[in-house]
Amino acid sequence: MLEQNINTTTPEGKLFFTMVAAFAEFEHSLMVARTKDGLAAARARGRVGGRNPKLTDSQKKTISKLNRPGFVGVSIKPRAVHTFTRSISLTSEMCVE
């Protein structure tokens, strides 16, 4: 497109540029429609998209216990769980002192 030296100040150049833009928009709309159809067909087959969860249910419960008011300590068998923003030490046994 850039190598063709199209003068967009003339009526012919504006027409050509408008037609190229219309075809590009049409092609984009077709891609969006095909993608949505494909995702709908995959869901109908039972497929679910997206990432797998980073934390298990037991890790989420442990974190919620760590965040409760009045929590003082944790037993000494930590293992690290790395999330996107921080590393959290979790344990299989928790104790409140």
Side-chain angles (χ1 to χ4, degrees), residues 4-51:
Q4 295 176 359
N5 294 326
I6 299 169
N7 186 359
T8 57
T9 60
T10 64
E12 295 84 7
K14 288 180 184 180
L15 173 67
F16 183 76
F17 190 76
T18 302
M19 289 173 51
V20 169
F23 280 114
E25 185 177 353
F26 175 68
E27 184 178 1
H28 178 264
S29 298
L30 287 178
M31 276 194 313
V32 169
R34 283 189 298 244
T35 300
K36 288 182 179 180
D37 291 344
L39 289 172
R43 277 190 215 98
R45 292 190 310 266
R47 301 281 307 199
V48 180
R51 290 176 73 156

Side-chain angles (χ1 to χ4, degrees), residues 18-85:
T18 302
M19 289 173 51
V20 169
F23 280 114
E25 185 177 353
F26 175 68
E27 184 178 1
H28 178 264
S29 298
L30 287 178
M31 276 194 313
V32 169
R34 283 189 298 244
T35 300
K36 288 182 179 180
D37 291 344
L39 289 172
R43 277 190 215 98
R45 292 190 310 266
R47 301 281 307 199
V48 180
R51 290 176 73 156
N52 292 331
K54 186 73 174 176
L55 300 175
T56 64
D57 289 337
S58 65
Q59 290 170 336
K60 290 177 188 176
K61 288 179 186 177
T62 303
I63 290 171
S64 67
K65 287 180 184 177
L66 288 171
N67 286 329
R68 75 176 188 267
F71 178 74
V72 179
V74 178
S75 65
I76 306 182
K77 294 184 202 170
R79 69 184 165 93
V81 173
H82 302 287
T83 63
F84 182 70
T85 55

